[in-house]
Amino acid sequence: SALYVLPPGFVESSCHSRIFWMKLNKLLLQGKFFQLEINDPYAGPVLMDEKLASRCGYVLSEDVWGNPVFRASVLGCHVANEADELFSLTVNIKVSSFSSMRAAVTYTYPMYCSYSSWASREIVCEENYMEVSVKTDVPAVSNDYTVAWMSALPETQNVAYQLWQLMFVSPSGRKRITVSDAAKLGYSFNNTQSRVYLRAPYHSNESDVSVVSGVNMNMVTSTSMYRQRWLLLLIDTTVACPVDGISFTDTTLTWTVPSVIPTLVVQESTFLSKNILMGVDDRVIVNPEEKNYLLEHNETHIRITIPIGAEGGKLKSSISGGVYGVIYSIDLFLEHTWTDADWQTTKYTVIKSVTTPFMPQIPTVINNTLPEERLFNVAFGHFLPDVSLVAIAIGNVPFTLREAQHHGFKIYETPFSNRMKEFILEVSFDDPYVLKEYVNRNETKYTLLVNYTISVGPEMTLYYHSAELECVIADIELPEAVGYCDEENLYLAIPTFGLHQYWNLYLGNKLLNRHVALTNGYLAATNSTHLILQIPLFAVGVIYEEVSFQKIKARFDVALRKVRTMETLQMFSVSCSFNSSAFIICHPDGTVMISAQMKTVPAIDMSKTKLRDSSCKPREYNEGHAFFKFHVTTCGTSVRFEGDHIIYENEISYEKETLPGQSIPIITRDPDYRLTVLCYYRAKETLVLGAFASDPSTSPPFGSGTMVPRSNIAVYRRIRQALNVVSRVSKDESFMEFYEPNMAILKRPVEPVFLEVELKDESPNVELHLENCWVTRSLDFNSTPRWNISVDG
């Protein structure tokens, strides 16, 4: 591959606390693959892999923004070292469009670091290695009383001449190996002009884990040994690094590191903390409180608390188990400098990338609907910048954003100062995909069913969230009917708006449709705004509030009911007074009102008119009219059945007195004039014989009535006299078996009664003609009510 000039902005680098930092711009690596080669000053480029990285003091990872980050210790394997003060490292960045790295472009990037303020001992805890370096001019064995050191002395007799060797002390025992053998185990040991360093991987066979102040520490206890003539150099190269210490709440993350690590501070009584610094990425944070970071320490702990979402870290959207949430990541480092009697100064640096667990955050839907503008305004959020809205469904109808905008939905984003955002959706109440329901008296409930589809994170994972929003507003005007009358009809003019959509008209409990109107004799007509009902005065459903001589006050009621719930919203009524010279009104409770007009020559005295029961006289009368009011169970009213109707019949008659003749005076009861009165009731909607109270569940209609005038030629009748008559009721038509006298006989109204009447008079001139036969509730033949069995023979 050829060498190329670096694109502007592709690489950033710095040197902090003896660590090279290099960051690549991910935007210039989109859709590409890259590798890093370490340029060995003596052997040329060496491809970096995980084993090489941990052994040689290199780290290749990503920052929280996804940019590749390379870090290297100035004591790394391939770093050029000038007097332990000037350090340089060259890396090759290979970029290719292919995973096989063919046709790669290679960029060479040199880095330089100046560092002279070495502490007597410096420890670096990196992500993949632990490193300790000490000055070789420091007396390493100063504590003759320390058991650990004393136990190591016998081993020094076997140290090879002019060779560095390492002795590891672990729970499994001591192990002394050469530097080359240690390298095979993943360790790296070397000495510079003034220092000796050891780099160890985490969790090696020679390491141990112990708990210090509640934090798990990975420790490698080792002694570096060198023998030359009369000199025996023993250097403590023990290193210990924390492997956990991270805790989380819903709002913060906390990183805890022990203040004092016993394996590194043998004489704890001489320990003195000098300086504590914290940093983010490669920058020291001088005033943590300005960024809402909290750095605190005491005798046992150093604690860094970061609010989740704080500056310097990154919130990333994620989907876990179909649930939306966020993950917060931040790259921290801690630098603790202390002194003690053994080591003078120790600089202890820990680099830690912290990522929170998945934190569910159910998106919220805020209803900012504007009823006065008839507009749904829905806010959906809050989301990070890595979330985008890709589609919506309104009323289960899917729309892409382009289709939604074209349809008339308004969709836009609202950003916030904390880098969050929300999606705003505006939909008109009048949109066809908005559900509308008529509620209460004059209100409409508008329902918006919306399903959001969002794309989450760089993985573009789809997430769905549904919401249902309602708004009830009083935007329906209840209709007002207008009533009026003419000489023979009542009229109701009712606005047609909302009819059959929101409400219906009811006559009693029966839906008033065209069929019912036609059956009842109404006329219905509509124009552009109103339904006009014409109701004849004597039609079914008319209520007669007052009925008197030649005058009727009639009312017609129609109920306005909701289509779905049948709730009555209001009654439309028209009421008028009518002048009528002749009428018959059959009420549902069995009351009959008659205004009869009798035109005879010569005129008759209307005060002497009567019904079949002569005690039933007119309530009011004048020269040509008589007004009667009675119940169908009284006044000699008879009943019969024709088809599906029950017919009640009575007669208005007039009896004329006769003048004395040549023989004995005779008074006749035969009327000179009769007016037959008929009331018709539907048999299925009416109870027989007095049970005429209106049933509210069926609301039977009124009966219809007719009057039939009929003139008869007077027939002289015999004077009434007592006859010896015996009557019996047969059990059937055979007249073979009879009921016992004074026995209660139960018969249904439509059931036939088999009656036998026998005349016991022995006179040959006497004949029996059965004229009227009726049933009463008592032994008094004239008592009421009475039910006719036979009328006029």
Side-chain angles (χ1 to χ4, degrees):
S1 59
L3 296 178
Y4 291 83
V5 178
L6 281 168
F10 181 38
V11 181
E12 293 180 15
S13 64
S14 64
C15 178
H16 171 74
S17 188
R18 74 177 189 81
I19 294 177
F20 292 102
W21 297 69
M22 183 182 75
K23 180 171 70 174
L24 306 182
N25 189 336
K26 68 174 183 178
L27 297 178
L28 299 177
L29 288 172
Q30 283 185 345
K32 299 184 181 297
F33 302 88
F34 80 97
Q35 287 179 343
L36 290 186
E37 290 178 338
I38 309 300
N39 203 353
D40 189 318
Y42 307 103
V46 178
L47 185 63
M48 193 182 75
D49 57 22
E50 289 184 6
K51 288 186 178 181
L52 177 73
S54 64
R55 184 173 61 83
C56 287
Y58 307 140
V59 174
L60 180 60
S61 63
E62 287 186 352
D63 66 8
V64 296
W65 310 105
N67 298 301
V69 171
F70 171 74
R71 290 192 300 271
S73 168
V74 296
L75 299 177
C77 299
H78 308 98
V79 176
N81 182 340
E82 296 182 23
D84 285 339
E85 291 185 358
L86 296 174
F87 306 90
S88 62
L89 178 65
T90 300
V91 297
N92 294 331
I93 308 166
K94 302 180 69 174
V95 180
S96 173
S97 299
F98 307 96
S99 59
S100 63
M101 297 305 296
R102 63 185 175 89
V105 175
T106 301
Y107 304 103
T108 298
Y109 188 78
M111 293 182 287
Y112 303 94
C113 199
S114 173
Y115 185 70
S116 58
S117 57
W118 288 94
S120 301
R121 178 175 61 175
E122 296 205 1
I123 295 174
V124 174
C125 300
E126 257 286 9
E127 292 183 21
N128 58 345
Y129 66 86
M130 304 180 288
E131 181 183 274
V132 56
S133 73
V134 298
K135 282 186 177 181
T136 53
D137 61 355
V138 174
V141 182
S142 61
N143 300 311
D144 295 337
Y145 57 84
T146 303
V147 175
W149 282 100
M150 293 300 291
S151 64
L153 288 176
E155 300 288 341
T156 62
Q157 304 302 319
N158 299 321
V159 174
Y161 185 66
Q162 288 188 333
L163 275 179
W164 282 100
Q165 288 186 307
L166 301 174
M167 184 176 68
F168 296 101
V169 180
S170 66
S172 61
R174 296 186 185 91
K175 180 191 293 185
R176 180 167 53 86
I177 58 176
T178 63
V179 172
S180 59
D181 288 339
K184 295 176 182 177
L185 298 176
Y187 296 93
S188 180
F189 177 86
N190 210 338
N191 63 309
T192 65
Q193 180 177 323
S194 60
R195 304 185 72 81
V196 171
Y197 66 86
L198 172 69
R199 202 160 30 246
Y202 285 94
H203 307 297
S204 65
N205 290 334
E206 295 73 32
S207 68
D208 187 21
V209 176
S210 65
V211 179
V212 179
S213 300
V215 178
N216 285 316
M217 305 292 292
N218 191 234
M219 299 182 298
V220 175
T221 304
S222 66
T223 303
S224 302
M225 300 176 290
Y226 184 80
R227 183 179 181 186
Q228 185 177 10
R229 294 181 182 178
W230 62 87
L231 175 67
L232 176 61
L233 185 63
L234 301 179
I235 299 178
D236 182 5
T237 48
T238 296
V239 63
C241 288
V243 294
D244 54 20
I246 304 296
S247 61
F248 306 96
T249 69
D250 291 340
T251 56
T252 61
L253 64 86
T254 301
W255 179 27
T256 302
V257 176
S259 294
V260 181
I261 303 168
T263 55
L264 302 180
V265 182
V266 178
Q267 299 184 65
E268 290 189 29
S269 60
T270 66
F271 173 86
L272 180 62
S273 178
K274 287 292 187 178
N275 190 34
I276 300 175
L277 294 174
M278 69 163 289
V280 175
D281 295 330
D282 60 344
R283 300 181 307 278
V284 174
I285 306 299
V286 179
N287 297 309
E289 63 279 359
E290 292 181 359
K291 298 183 181 295
N292 293 322
Y293 303 156
L294 179 61
L295 174 61
E296 53 187 348
H297 63 93
N298 55 29
E299 294 180 355
T300 59
H301 295 89
I302 301 170
R303 184 173 288 113
I304 297 174
T305 301
I306 307 291
I308 291 175
E311 179 185 350
K314 182 187 179 184
L315 278 169
K316 174 189 174 185
S317 300
S318 182
I319 302 295
S320 178
V323 177
Y324 173 81
V326 296
I327 296 172
Y328 179 69
S329 300
I330 190 168
D331 295 330
L332 300 172
F333 72 82
L334 174 70
E335 190 174 280
H336 184 199
T337 304
W338 73 77
T339 62
D340 63 79
D342 293 323
W343 285 101
Q344 297 177 14
T345 303
T346 298
K347 182 184 285 186
Y348 187 81
T349 302
V350 186
I351 299 174
K352 190 77 170 177
S353 293
V354 182
T355 299
T356 66
F358 174 80
M359 297 177 289
Q361 289 192 353
I362 305 301
T364 57
V365 175
I366 302 174
N367 188 354
N368 298 319
T369 294
L370 305 170
E372 63 277 4
E373 297 183 18
R374 298 181 61 80
L375 188 70
F376 279 110
N377 183 293
V378 189
F380 180 46
H382 295 93
F383 294 108
L384 296 170
D386 60 358
V387 171
S388 58
L389 181 64
V390 296
I392 62 170
I394 303 295
N396 298 321
V397 179
F399 294 90
T400 64
L401 294 191
R402 182 185 295 272
E403 291 170 342
Q405 298 281 7
H406 180 73
H407 177 79
F409 303 138
K410 189 175 181 182
I411 303 172
Y412 55 93
E413 291 185 7
T414 299
F416 298 101
S417 57
N418 62 355
R419 295 176 51 249
M420 302 292 278
K421 65 180 178 181
E422 65 182 6
F423 303 107
I424 306 298
L425 170 66
E426 293 183 358
V427 180
S428 169
F429 286 180
D430 301 313
D431 190 274
Y433 295 112
V434 172
L435 303 180
K436 303 166 185 68
E437 180 184 359
Y438 171 53
V439 295
N440 303 323
R441 286 184 59 82
N442 62 336
E443 296 174 326
T444 303
K445 180 171 74 174
Y446 297 93
T447 303
L448 177 66
L449 301 177
V450 57
N451 197 316
Y452 296 91
T453 302
I454 59 175
S455 174
V456 178
E459 303 86 1
M460 301 178 67
T461 306
L462 294 183
Y463 172 76
Y464 307 94
H465 187 87
S466 60
E468 179 175 333
L469 299 101
E470 293 181 354
C471 185
V472 178
I473 58 174
D475 59 354
I476 293 179
E477 184 177 350
L478 288 178
E480 294 293 336
V482 177
Y484 54 93
C485 300
D486 60 18
E487 292 181 356
E488 298 179 348
N489 302 281
L490 300 93
Y491 295 88
L492 270 176
I494 304 168
T496 53
F497 168 76
L499 271 181
H500 313 306
Q501 179 185 2
Y502 300 137
W503 42 67
N504 281 318
L505 299 177
Y506 277 79
L507 183 63
N509 281 335
K510 183 176 290 187
L511 177 66
L512 182 55
N513 52 29
R514 290 193 175 275
H515 173 72
V516 172
L518 185 63
T519 302
N520 291 351
Y522 310 155
L523 290 179
T526 56
N527 57 26
S528 59
T529 59
H530 285 75
L531 165 70
I532 295 106
L533 281 176
Q534 175 185 312
I535 305 99
L537 173 61
F538 296 108
V540 176
V542 176
I543 300 167
Y544 303 99
E545 298 179 302
E546 295 180 19
V547 179
S548 60
F549 191 47
Q550 291 186 308
K551 182 180 180 181
I552 300 175
K553 184 178 181 182
R555 189 181 85 241
F556 183 74
D557 296 335
V558 172
L560 188 73
R561 292 188 179 182
K562 292 170 68 171
V563 170
R564 292 186 59 186
T565 65
M566 298 282 290
E567 175 190 352
T568 299
L569 298 173
Q570 58 190 46
M571 298 292 295
F572 298 140
S573 295
V574 55
S575 179
C576 295
S577 294
F578 295 86
N579 295 319
S580 181
S581 58
F583 57 82
I584 176 170
I585 299 173
C586 304
H587 285 272
D589 64 355
T591 301
V592 180
M593 295 181 181
I594 306 168
S595 179
Q597 184 178 17
M598 294 187 175
K599 296 180 180 180
T600 61
V601 178
I604 60 176
D605 184 353
M606 300 303 292
S607 66
K608 295 182 180 180
T609 57
K610 64 177 181 63
L611 298 176
R612 283 180 179 163
D613 186 337
S614 59
S615 65
C616 295
K617 299 290 186 180
R619 300 281 183 101
E620 296 179 68
Y621 57 88
N622 63 11
E623 292 180 356
H625 293 80
F627 177 70
F628 292 88
K629 181 179 179 180
F630 61 97
H631 195 271
V632 294
T633 59
T634 63
C635 297
T637 306
S638 63
V639 60
R640 69 177 186 270
F641 294 86
E642 288 186 8
D644 58 352
H645 282 81
I646 299 175
I647 303 173
Y648 292 93
E649 181 179 330
N650 209 319
E651 285 182 347
I652 300 173
S653 61
Y654 168 75
E655 292 190 358
K656 185 177 179 182
E657 294 182 0
T658 60
L659 295 176
Q662 296 178 354
S663 60
I664 300 173
I666 297 174
I667 299 175
T668 177
R669 288 189 169 182
D670 288 341
D672 222 21
Y673 184 89
R674 292 183 182 182
L675 185 65
T676 301
V677 179
L678 302 173
C679 276
Y680 296 81
Y681 292 89
R682 293 187 64 86
K684 294 182 180 179
E685 299 178 357
T686 308
L687 298 178
V688 181
L689 298 179
F692 289 98
S694 179
D695 184 350
S697 64
T698 58
S699 189
F702 295 146
S704 58
T706 59
M707 294 182 286
V708 183
R710 185 177 63 197
S711 295
N712 291 334
I713 298 173
V715 177
Y716 289 105
R717 299 194 177 180
R718 297 178 179 83
I719 300 173
R720 176 172 291 180
Q721 59 183 6
L723 299 176
N724 187 9
V725 177
V726 177
S727 63
R728 295 185 300 175
V729 179
S730 173
K731 293 183 177 181
D732 53 33
E733 65 272 18
S734 67
F735 291 91
M736 299 297 292
E737 293 185 48
F738 296 88
Y739 290 102
E740 295 294 328
N742 300 321
M743 178 182 178
I745 303 171
L746 181 63
K747 290 287 186 180
R748 294 186 180 87
V750 295
E751 214 176 330
V753 176
F754 302 101
L755 181 65
E756 178 187 271
V757 180
E758 182 181 358
L759 178 63
K760 295 294 187 180
D761 199 313
E762 297 179 358
S763 173
N765 298 324
V766 176
E767 294 179 354
L768 176 62
H769 294 275
L770 189 61
E771 182 181 27
N772 295 315
C773 184
W774 65 92
V775 178
T776 63
R777 287 179 175 174
S778 68
L779 296 178
D780 182 3
F781 291 162
N782 294 319
S783 65
T784 58
R786 82 181 200 180
W787 294 269
N788 291 320
I789 296 175
S790 174
V791 179
D792 279 350

